[in-house]
Amino acid sequence: MAKKSSIQELKKLIQLELQECDSNKWQYVCEMQSTPKGYARIEEMIIRYVAKEGMPIGSAIALIEQELAHQNA
């Protein structure tokens, strides 16, 4: 039960971090999160980085932005 509540809490923190997305800073993340499917994918990626790598949410978002920029280059 504690694991499920931790994930829900993490999802709320991710939502807070992404709700005022700065497209000058995170162009691809902001664009991707504008659809429900894209948001779910970003959320899942952030959860993975936070859980497996111990990364702060902001660092995970920055890394995802770099990955997306590289894919779109």
Side-chain angles (χ1 to χ4, degrees):
M1 182 82 122
K3 186 176 179 180
K4 188 173 183 176
S5 65
S6 295
I7 291 173
Q8 292 305 320
E9 187 174 325
L10 179 56
K11 286 183 176 189
K12 288 178 186 176
L13 293 172
I14 292 168
Q15 182 182 21
L16 286 172
E17 191 79 28
L18 290 175
Q19 73 185 5
E20 292 184 25
C21 200
D22 181 355
S23 61
N24 292 322
K25 191 171 164 183
W26 298 333
Q27 174 188 351
Y28 297 105
V29 168
C30 292
E31 185 179 318
M32 182 181 250
Q33 72 140 358
S34 66
T35 66
K37 185 177 179 180
Y39 182 88
R41 181 169 175 229
I42 288 176
E43 183 181 64
E44 183 268 324
M45 292 168 77
I46 294 169
I47 290 170
R48 190 170 358 110
Y49 283 129
V50 170
K52 289 188 177 181
E53 306 293 332
M55 223 179 256
I57 293 171
S59 296
I61 293 169
L63 183 59
I64 292 165
E65 177 66 25
Q66 286 180 339
E67 290 174 351
L68 293 172
H70 181 71
Q71 288 175 4
N72 291 303

